[in-house]
Amino acid sequence: MGAPYVVEFEIAKDDFLAAGEGSGSVKDTLKMLGIPSAVIRRAAIITYEAEMNLVIHGGGGVLKILISPEKVEIVARDDGPGIPDVELAMREGFSTAPDRIREMGFGAGMGLPNIKRNADSLEIESAVGVGTTLTASIDLSGEGGPA
Ligand SMILES: Nc1ncnc2c1ncn2[C@@H]1O[C@H](COP(=O)(O)OP(=O)(O)OP(=O)(O)O)[C@@H](O)[C@H]1O
Ligand SMILES: [Mg+2]
């Protein structure tokens, strides 16, 4: 097994204009690498939701995508406020997004559940006042259909 192909993006806090660029270019990279389109679709959803959470909640951070023959792994890391209760944050409809964010159409509390649905595995490590690392992966060994 060789080293994974890695793409990395710095995601700035509150930069809604640039947000979505990461997930867009990941799509192109996966396509170039010949990843099946069903997997690309799932990876794009995960990357987009993770990226938006870095922008809105994490105070910015780093988004990293690692592609190997076995899996596509998406890692979103920030040094933001952290998540006090990850289980609660994972629930559909749970959101701490303030009104100004909701007015922009975010804050439905569907990002993390959407990531979970589209990933074969999901891990969230978070500490209040320290930051959050989300690691989601999609297996490439199976048929790659929607989860
Ligand atoms: N990187 C993060 N740092 C701190 N808190 C986070 C982070 N990611 C998620 N959260 C917390 O988890 C909650 C749920 O996240 P989720 O993505 O499911 O919903 P949302 O971002 O509020 O709304 P939506 O994704 O539907 O626009 C957030 O409202 C926030 O409180
Ligand atoms: Mg979200």
Side-chain angles (χ1 to χ4, degrees), residues 5-11 22 25-26 29 61-67 75 77:
Y5 188 97
V6 182
V7 278
E8 202 171 324
F9 304 89
E10 291 268 352
I11 310 295
S25 86
V26 164
T29 303
V62 177
L63 183 67
K64 202 167 165 178
I65 295 91
L66 303 94
I67 304 124
V75 182
R77 193 182 59 73

Side-chain angles (χ1 to χ4, degrees), residues 39 42-43 46 70-72 74 118-120 136-140:
V39 172
R42 292 165 61 196
I46 293 169
E70 293 77 29
K71 63 183 176 180
V72 176
I74 295 137
N118 283 284
D120 290 311
S137 71
I138 303 175
D139 295 334
L140 292 176

Side-chain angles (χ1 to χ4, degrees), residues 49-50 52-53 56-57 106-107 109-112:
E49 295 293 355
M52 290 318 302
N53 282 352
I56 295 172
H57 309 290
F106 303 104
M110 291 307 291
L112 292 177

Side-chain angles (χ1 to χ4, degrees), residues 13-26:
K13 170 187 165 71
D14 283 343
D15 191 349
F16 291 94
L17 283 179
E21 269 177 22
S23 26
S25 86
V26 164

Side-chain angles (χ1 to χ4, degrees), residues 36-138:
S37 59
V39 172
I40 295 180
R41 214 152 37 232
R42 292 165 61 196
I45 292 168
I46 293 169
T47 308
Y48 176 75
E49 295 293 355
E51 189 175 12
M52 290 318 302
N53 282 352
L54 290 180
V55 170
I56 295 172
H57 309 290
V62 177
L63 183 67
K64 202 167 165 178
I65 295 91
L66 303 94
I67 304 124
S68 69
E70 293 77 29
K71 63 183 176 180
V72 176
E73 189 170 75
I74 295 137
V75 182
R77 193 182 59 73
D78 66 64
D79 305 317
I83 304 175
D85 185 340
V86 171
E87 206 185 306
L88 181 63
M90 287 295 307
R91 284 194 205 155
E92 288 192 8
F94 177 85
S95 177
T96 58
D99 286 346
R100 69 175 178 92
I101 297 293
R102 290 173 194 261
E103 278 158 18
M104 297 169 82
F106 303 104
M110 291 307 291
L112 292 177
N114 218 355
I115 291 173
K116 179 149 181 92
R117 208 167 18 250
N118 283 284
D120 290 311
S121 77
L122 172 62
E123 220 177 283
I124 298 173
E125 270 184 25
S126 192
V128 172
V130 178
T132 301
T133 301
L134 175 150
T135 307
S137 71
I138 303 175

